[in-house]
Amino acid sequence: MGYDRCIQILSVLLLCGASWAQGPVAAPAPSFTPADAIRIACGSASDVKIGTRVFLADVQGTGQGVAGRTNQNNGALSAYAPLLTSARFFTSAFNYNFTVSPGRHWVRLFFYPFAFSSFQPSNSFFDISTKEVGLLSNFSAVTFVTADSPYFVREYFLNITSKDLVLTFIPRSNSYAFINAIEIVSAPDGMVQGGAPTLGGGSLTYPGLSQSALQTMYRLNVGGGTVAPDDDSANLSRTWIPDTPYKLLNTPGVSVEANATKITYTDVAEYIAPATVYASGQALEDNDVANANAALNWNFTVDNNFTYLVRLHFCELQYQRLYERVFIIEINRVAIYQFFDIIEEAGAAYTPLYRDFMVPMINTYPKINVRIAPDRSNPNAKNVLLNGLEIFKVNNANSSLAGPNRIIEPNTTSGGTQTTNSSSSSNLGAIIGASIGGVAAVLAAAALVIFCCYKKKTKSDKPGAPSHWLPLPLHGSSTDHSKVSTSSAKSGKSGAGSYVSSVPSNLGRYFSFAELQEATNNFDESLVLGVGGFGKVYKGETDDGSKVAVKRGNPRSEQGLNEFQTEIELLSKLRHRHLVSLIGYCEEHGEMILVYDYMANGPLRGHLYGTDEAPLSWKQRLEICIGAARGLHYLHTGAAQGIIHRDVKTTNILLDENFVAKVADFGLSKIGPANEVTHVSTAVKGSFGYLDPEYFRRQQLTEKSDVYSFGVVLMEVLCARPAINPALPREEVNLADWAIKYHKAGMLDKIVDEKLRDTINPDSLKTFGDTVEKCLQERGIDRPSMGDVLWNLEYALQLHEASVKGAMSSLDQGNFSTDSDNSHMISVPLVAPNLFDDSLTMDIERRMLEETASEDQSASAIFSQLINAQGR
Ligand SMILES: *[C@@H]1O[C@H](CO)[C@@H](O)[C@H](O)[C@H]1NC(C)=O
Ligand SMILES: *[C@@H]1O[C@H](CO)[C@@H](O)[C@H](O)[C@H]1NC(C)=O
Ligand SMILES: *[C@@H]1O[C@H](CO)[C@@H](O)[C@H](O)[C@H]1NC(C)=O
Ligand SMILES: *[C@@H]1O[C@H](CO)[C@@H](O)[C@H](O)[C@H]1NC(C)=O
Ligand SMILES: *[C@@H]1O[C@H](CO)[C@@H](O)[C@H](O)[C@H]1NC(C)=O
Ligand SMILES: *[C@@H]1O[C@H](CO)[C@@H](O)[C@H](O)[C@H]1NC(C)=O
Ligand SMILES: *[C@@H]1O[C@H](CO)[C@@H](O)[C@H](O)[C@H]1NC(C)=O
Ligand SMILES: *[C@@H]1O[C@H](CO)[C@@H](O)[C@H](O)[C@H]1NC(C)=O
Ligand SMILES: *[C@@H]1O[C@H](CO)[C@@H](O)[C@H](O)[C@H]1NC(C)=O
């Protein structure tokens, strides 16, 4: 059971005063009736009824400020017209005081900027705050409206600790403040938990979320229609709108729907979201994921320099059994789940489930991208599903939620205000997102956004877009989009060097498209080995009978293009026994295809957990780790400039038919720092649970980031469980944190893979654990180099083999066979060969040389570096 579910059940039990004696099975939460439901029609002399909600005449404001009305109602106000056509205007500071019961409340502020008397909307700049938090600052409501969406609602989620809520309006000098309506509704305590996993690893929970003030940015009924306030669960009067305005159009999605009466709330309380939200979702159109780029994507513009709470709602509506729908969930390209099965998480179909994540957006590109894609390493995983999504802004260190106004540019073409490029559609989205507008208004605006997005898309996504994907030296600046063949293409960069001679020699063989068609049985779906953002990988067989993996990129995917370019640029420079090797490529017909050695045993993860494969022995596991470490060590030190892999994880370590490990997937790799700089500054990418916390904090990439990720891989290999498993009790969720605790307590043996138990030599395990601990140090400079890690893994293997062979006699003469000497050996410097028994040291060196001999020359150069490294 997920820890947040535990907390939730606990809070439900506390809420209804139930005791544990009633048994551990949580009953569905009772329906919640808000203690406070305060609604004010500001500036109005009479009550206004909107559906079942009654907004009271604004008695409180009487005598202060100016009540104003307008006749302007172009129809877009819809059902809200009677509420919004009145307002109260203030030219000096003013408080609205409300008596409430302490606890969480939704606070909604309605704005319809209209001209009245001398009050011109473009002249209005003001602040709104409560005693605890600033809500709006230098706020200009008129910048947030358009002709089609002339009003909007700002919704806040405040934890009110005293008995009164005071909303203070302060106009800026020579300006005025105004408000059309206010709604305050109590919310159940369980709406937001104390914390949630934070994107970027490090600390698992976000501190202080229970005290934080939130602002609703988006609330979507994914795959469904608008849920109006009167149809919300638990009388919370929220509005859920369709996701279509935010969905990127690259992959068509399809709505999946079920009868809402089938939804059964078990662990999740009904107030979290209504059944109508859980009863619809978006999935991929094609159940077999024929589209190489198969993934659903949504983008949300947010204000920079805030942290966001992203809540994803799931409910399985189509499958009944486990592992029929397994997918990857990414936020901003960080995989937060590698292996997400809704039924596994929720316990059954038609059972609501949600997951929260904290996403810091500090000084970055202010868009939150949510992406769900089928798990490319799992051939049974056919599709994806998302049912609902909410994004909340969390107040910053200055206790403020205020973001900037929208920037309006003078309109260039037809009517309506035009806004600056990137923020336009999404800010409009934010307005719609918070709008409690009538269905018609929302749909009209949504249609507008879709239209805008569509226009934008078609502009930038012209057919015949890049057909050239090979790295620049070939024909980077060529503008000829026609087919390029090896014989006719010219270098666009300079007259010198023909196409052929500028192809990096290691690019290998040139395949014709026809050859690859034949090799893969015309890209037969049954030969698909995996699918990723870049396209599909097929199993193939070349004319000489050798097995290959054929990676066919989608030329229309810009992401794929970049990753392909990175990969080929790197691979053309690299060749190593422990790196997946490139055999050749094809670029006919605008295709971008790379051909690799076929790895018969697939990803390492597939041999660790969640499979029926025979378990790997400890020796095999060590050898695989050593192989991968060797590959990474080569990346870091072998090329002229070190290469940082950036996405080290168990799915990126592949095994050939002899279980030799090869590091794969260089799509995210970066060329490492040149000698004088010590880091590469870059946007954070990688996979949740493997990310170096220092890299995340400082956005500075070093080789030590790979060392951290590799430390997580080592633990995964030892314990046979995912790096992050939110379904486990809180302290176990993050493998790295949890396992290190056990190791420090000298109890690592308690958590090793059951299938290995009692087969590992304790000294070998200790060496392994010490090595991982070093890799997982908070600070990069405290982590060992990959060469040191490699040495220690070799040592762990030697210890194990020696014990297995019963050859302890030779070891006993050494000074490392007792515990104290072992810890000595591991303490700084991590590798101190002089403390080793000479014969063992030589044995390790011999093994390393043997390995190296089978690699190419550059690899042996590394070995000498490794030897030198010991001197440091
Ligand atoms: C409203 O609250 C403010 C701040 O707490 C206080 O100064 C003011 O007297 C209150 N006004 C009324 C009418 O209660
Ligand atoms: C308030 O915002 C407006 C435009 O949105 C800007 O021109 C003005 O400088 C701002 N004032 C302050 C004090 O930040
Ligand atoms: C509100 O904040 C207080 C502390 O200021 C905390 O004890 C309480 O749990 C919070 N309430 C909710 C519902 O988060
Ligand atoms: C809404 O509130 C009314 C009382 O005001 C209550 O009878 C009803 O059960 C509530 N609805 C839900 C879904 O909680
Ligand atoms: C949904 O199920 C209920 C109860 O089984 C049934 O009465 C209702 O007609 C169904 N609605 C639709 C749209 O099928
Ligand atoms: C975000 O904060 C950084 C400094 O931490 C600052 O340089 C940047 O201008 C801020 N961005 C915005 C949009 O406020
Ligand atoms: C969506 O957001 C991602 C991540 O912030 C960004 O890289 C991408 O360019 C955005 N796409 C669009 C179409 O806005
Ligand atoms: C907090 O306020 C201070 C002073 O006004 C300002 O310098 C700082 O940038 C603000 N910090 C954030 C995170 O907005
Ligand atoms: C914006 O467009 C409207 C309608 O076409 C026009 O009346 C108005 O003058 C334009 N405003 C500017 C600043 O160009």
PDB file of all heavy atoms in Angstrom, residues 30-34 37 230-236 270-271, ligand 4:
ATOM      1  N   PRO A  30     -17.004   9.098   3.815  1.00  0.00           N
ATOM      2  CA  PRO A  30     -18.370   9.609   3.763  1.00  0.00           C
ATOM      3  C   PRO A  30     -18.377  10.895   2.952  1.00  0.00           C
ATOM      4  O   PRO A  30     -17.346  11.527   2.799  1.00  0.00           O
ATOM      5  CB  PRO A  30     -18.682   9.891   5.230  1.00  0.00           C
ATOM      6  CG  PRO A  30     -17.357  10.143   5.870  1.00  0.00           C
ATOM      7  CD  PRO A  30     -16.367   9.296   5.129  1.00  0.00           C
ATOM      8  N   SER A  31     -19.527  11.283   2.441  1.00  0.00           N
ATOM      9  CA  SER A  31     -19.544  12.507   1.661  1.00  0.00           C
ATOM     10  C   SER A  31     -19.271  13.673   2.600  1.00  0.00           C
ATOM     11  O   SER A  31     -19.664  13.677   3.754  1.00  0.00           O
ATOM     12  CB  SER A  31     -20.881  12.673   0.949  1.00  0.00           C
ATOM     13  OG  SER A  31     -21.880  12.951   1.887  1.00  0.00           O
ATOM     14  N   PHE A  32     -18.558  14.635   2.074  1.00  0.00           N
ATOM     15  CA  PHE A  32     -18.080  15.746   2.880  1.00  0.00           C
ATOM     16  C   PHE A  32     -18.993  16.938   2.673  1.00  0.00           C
ATOM     17  O   PHE A  32     -19.321  17.299   1.553  1.00  0.00           O
ATOM     18  CB  PHE A  32     -16.661  16.084   2.433  1.00  0.00           C
ATOM     19  CG  PHE A  32     -16.116  17.355   3.005  1.00  0.00           C
ATOM     20  CD1 PHE A  32     -15.546  17.361   4.264  1.00  0.00           C
ATOM     21  CD2 PHE A  32     -16.173  18.534   2.292  1.00  0.00           C
ATOM     22  CE1 PHE A  32     -15.036  18.537   4.793  1.00  0.00           C
ATOM     23  CE2 PHE A  32     -15.662  19.702   2.822  1.00  0.00           C
ATOM     24  CZ  PHE A  32     -15.089  19.707   4.076  1.00  0.00           C
ATOM     25  N   THR A  33     -19.431  17.543   3.734  1.00  0.00           N
ATOM     26  CA  THR A  33     -20.216  18.767   3.613  1.00  0.00           C
ATOM     27  C   THR A  33     -19.399  19.907   4.191  1.00  0.00           C
ATOM     28  O   THR A  33     -19.038  19.878   5.364  1.00  0.00           O
ATOM     29  CB  THR A  33     -21.554  18.629   4.353  1.00  0.00           C
ATOM     30  OG1 THR A  33     -22.203  17.466   3.850  1.00  0.00           O
ATOM     31  CG2 THR A  33     -22.419  19.831   4.116  1.00  0.00           C
ATOM     32  N   PRO A  34     -19.053  20.886   3.364  1.00  0.00           N
ATOM     33  CA  PRO A  34     -18.171  21.958   3.826  1.00  0.00           C
ATOM     34  C   PRO A  34     -18.771  22.705   5.022  1.00  0.00           C
ATOM     35  O   PRO A  34     -19.961  23.026   5.027  1.00  0.00           O
ATOM     36  CB  PRO A  34     -18.066  22.884   2.610  1.00  0.00           C
ATOM     37  CG  PRO A  34     -18.424  22.029   1.439  1.00  0.00           C
ATOM     38  CD  PRO A  34     -19.420  21.035   1.956  1.00  0.00           C
ATOM     39  N   ALA A  37     -19.310  27.845   3.653  1.00  0.00           N
ATOM     40  CA  ALA A  37     -19.582  28.063   2.231  1.00  0.00           C
ATOM     41  C   ALA A  37     -20.054  29.508   2.133  1.00  0.00           C
ATOM     42  O   ALA A  37     -21.225  29.807   2.306  1.00  0.00           O
ATOM     43  CB  ALA A  37     -20.619  27.089   1.713  1.00  0.00           C
ATOM     44  N   ASP A 230     -21.487  22.601  -9.883  1.00  0.00           N
ATOM     45  CA  ASP A 230     -22.581  21.901  -9.214  1.00  0.00           C
ATOM     46  C   ASP A 230     -22.446  20.381  -9.307  1.00  0.00           C
ATOM     47  O   ASP A 230     -23.096  19.649  -8.559  1.00  0.00           O
ATOM     48  CB  ASP A 230     -23.939  22.327  -9.801  1.00  0.00           C
ATOM     49  CG  ASP A 230     -24.362  23.684  -9.267  1.00  0.00           C
ATOM     50  OD1 ASP A 230     -23.706  24.181  -8.322  1.00  0.00           O
ATOM     51  OD2 ASP A 230     -25.334  24.246  -9.798  1.00  0.00           O
ATOM     52  N   ASP A 231     -21.614  19.919 -10.231  1.00  0.00           N
ATOM     53  CA  ASP A 231     -21.440  18.468 -10.388  1.00  0.00           C
ATOM     54  C   ASP A 231     -20.180  17.960  -9.712  1.00  0.00           C
ATOM     55  O   ASP A 231     -19.839  16.784  -9.823  1.00  0.00           O
ATOM     56  CB  ASP A 231     -21.385  18.112 -11.883  1.00  0.00           C
ATOM     57  CG  ASP A 231     -22.670  18.500 -12.589  1.00  0.00           C
ATOM     58  OD1 ASP A 231     -23.724  18.462 -11.930  1.00  0.00           O
ATOM     59  OD2 ASP A 231     -22.608  18.869 -13.779  1.00  0.00           O
ATOM     60  N   ASP A 232     -19.475  18.841  -9.029  1.00  0.00           N
ATOM     61  CA  ASP A 232     -18.250  18.410  -8.365  1.00  0.00           C
ATOM     62  C   ASP A 232     -18.600  17.539  -7.159  1.00  0.00           C
ATOM     63  O   ASP A 232     -19.693  17.630  -6.613  1.00  0.00           O
ATOM     64  CB  ASP A 232     -17.453  19.642  -7.916  1.00  0.00           C
ATOM     65  CG  ASP A 232     -16.038  19.296  -7.496  1.00  0.00           C
ATOM     66  OD1 ASP A 232     -15.524  18.258  -7.958  1.00  0.00           O
ATOM     67  OD2 ASP A 232     -15.450  20.057  -6.714  1.00  0.00           O
ATOM     68  N   SER A 233     -17.633  16.705  -6.755  1.00  0.00           N
ATOM     69  CA  SER A 233     -17.895  15.862  -5.595  1.00  0.00           C
ATOM     70  C   SER A 233     -17.802  16.685  -4.317  1.00  0.00           C
ATOM     71  O   SER A 233     -17.111  17.706  -4.264  1.00  0.00           O
ATOM     72  CB  SER A 233     -16.920  14.687  -5.565  1.00  0.00           C
ATOM     73  OG  SER A 233     -15.596  15.123  -5.778  1.00  0.00           O
ATOM     74  N   ALA A 234     -18.494  16.266  -3.293  1.00  0.00           N
ATOM     75  CA  ALA A 234     -18.397  16.822  -1.943  1.00  0.00           C
ATOM     76  C   ALA A 234     -18.701  18.316  -1.867  1.00  0.00           C
ATOM     77  O   ALA A 234     -18.187  19.011  -0.986  1.00  0.00           O
ATOM     78  CB  ALA A 234     -17.013  16.541  -1.360  1.00  0.00           C
ATOM     79  N   ASN A 235     -19.535  18.825  -2.744  1.00  0.00           N
ATOM     80  CA  ASN A 235     -19.938  20.231  -2.700  1.00  0.00           C
ATOM     81  C   ASN A 235     -18.757  21.184  -2.717  1.00  0.00           C
ATOM     82  O   ASN A 235     -18.813  22.260  -2.133  1.00  0.00           O
ATOM     83  CB  ASN A 235     -20.763  20.507  -1.419  1.00  0.00           C
ATOM     84  CG  ASN A 235     -22.131  19.853  -1.497  1.00  0.00           C
ATOM     85  OD1 ASN A 235     -22.692  19.695  -2.578  1.00  0.00           O
ATOM     86  ND2 ASN A 235     -22.662  19.471  -0.356  1.00  0.00           N
ATOM     87  N   LEU A 236     -17.666  20.815  -3.370  1.00  0.00           N
ATOM     88  CA  LEU A 236     -16.478  21.674  -3.355  1.00  0.00           C
ATOM     89  C   LEU A 236     -16.497  22.719  -4.467  1.00  0.00           C
ATOM     90  O   LEU A 236     -15.631  23.587  -4.522  1.00  0.00           O
ATOM     91  CB  LEU A 236     -15.201  20.825  -3.443  1.00  0.00           C
ATOM     92  CG  LEU A 236     -14.972  19.889  -2.259  1.00  0.00           C
ATOM     93  CD1 LEU A 236     -13.726  19.049  -2.464  1.00  0.00           C
ATOM     94  CD2 LEU A 236     -14.855  20.673  -0.963  1.00  0.00           C
ATOM     95  N   GLU A 270     -13.786  10.228  -2.122  1.00  0.00           N
ATOM     96  CA  GLU A 270     -14.553  10.733  -3.257  1.00  0.00           C
ATOM     97  C   GLU A 270     -14.332  12.226  -3.476  1.00  0.00           C
ATOM     98  O   GLU A 270     -14.425  12.717  -4.596  1.00  0.00           O
ATOM     99  CB  GLU A 270     -16.046  10.446  -3.047  1.00  0.00           C
ATOM    100  CG  GLU A 270     -16.873  10.770  -4.275  1.00  0.00           C
ATOM    101  CD  GLU A 270     -18.261  10.164  -4.242  1.00  0.00           C
ATOM    102  OE1 GLU A 270     -18.592   9.488  -3.240  1.00  0.00           O
ATOM    103  OE2 GLU A 270     -19.001  10.375  -5.208  1.00  0.00           O
ATOM    104  N   TYR A 271     -14.018  12.950  -2.395  1.00  0.00           N
ATOM    105  CA  TYR A 271     -13.822  14.391  -2.574  1.00  0.00           C
ATOM    106  C   TYR A 271     -12.569  14.716  -3.392  1.00  0.00           C
ATOM    107  O   TYR A 271     -12.432  15.818  -3.896  1.00  0.00           O
ATOM    108  CB  TYR A 271     -13.780  15.121  -1.221  1.00  0.00           C
ATOM    109  CG  TYR A 271     -12.727  14.616  -0.247  1.00  0.00           C
ATOM    110  CD1 TYR A 271     -11.378  14.843  -0.467  1.00  0.00           C
ATOM    111  CD2 TYR A 271     -13.092  13.926   0.908  1.00  0.00           C
ATOM    112  CE1 TYR A 271     -10.416  14.388   0.419  1.00  0.00           C
ATOM    113  CE2 TYR A 271     -12.134  13.463   1.809  1.00  0.00           C
ATOM    114  CZ  TYR A 271     -10.796  13.700   1.555  1.00  0.00           C
ATOM    115  OH  TYR A 271      -9.851  13.246   2.422  1.00  0.00           O
TER     116      TYR A 271
HETATM  117  C1  LIG B   4     -23.799  18.700  -0.413  1.00  0.00           C
HETATM  118  O1  LIG B   4     -24.311  19.372   0.709  1.00  0.00           O
HETATM  119  C2  LIG B   4     -25.619  18.961   1.093  1.00  0.00           C
HETATM  120  C3  LIG B   4     -26.055  19.790   2.276  1.00  0.00           C
HETATM  121  O2  LIG B   4     -25.711  21.121   2.081  1.00  0.00           O
HETATM  122  C4  LIG B   4     -25.615  17.503   1.438  1.00  0.00           C
HETATM  123  O3  LIG B   4     -26.958  17.075   1.715  1.00  0.00           O
HETATM  124  C5  LIG B   4     -25.074  16.693   0.273  1.00  0.00           C
HETATM  125  O4  LIG B   4     -24.935  15.347   0.640  1.00  0.00           O
HETATM  126  C6  LIG B   4     -23.723  17.208  -0.127  1.00  0.00           C
HETATM  127  N1  LIG B   4     -23.274  16.518  -1.320  1.00  0.00           N
HETATM  128  C7  LIG B   4     -22.169  15.819  -1.356  1.00  0.00           C
HETATM  129  C8  LIG B   4     -21.854  15.163  -2.650  1.00  0.00           C
HETATM  130  O5  LIG B   4     -21.429  15.711  -0.397  1.00  0.00           O
END
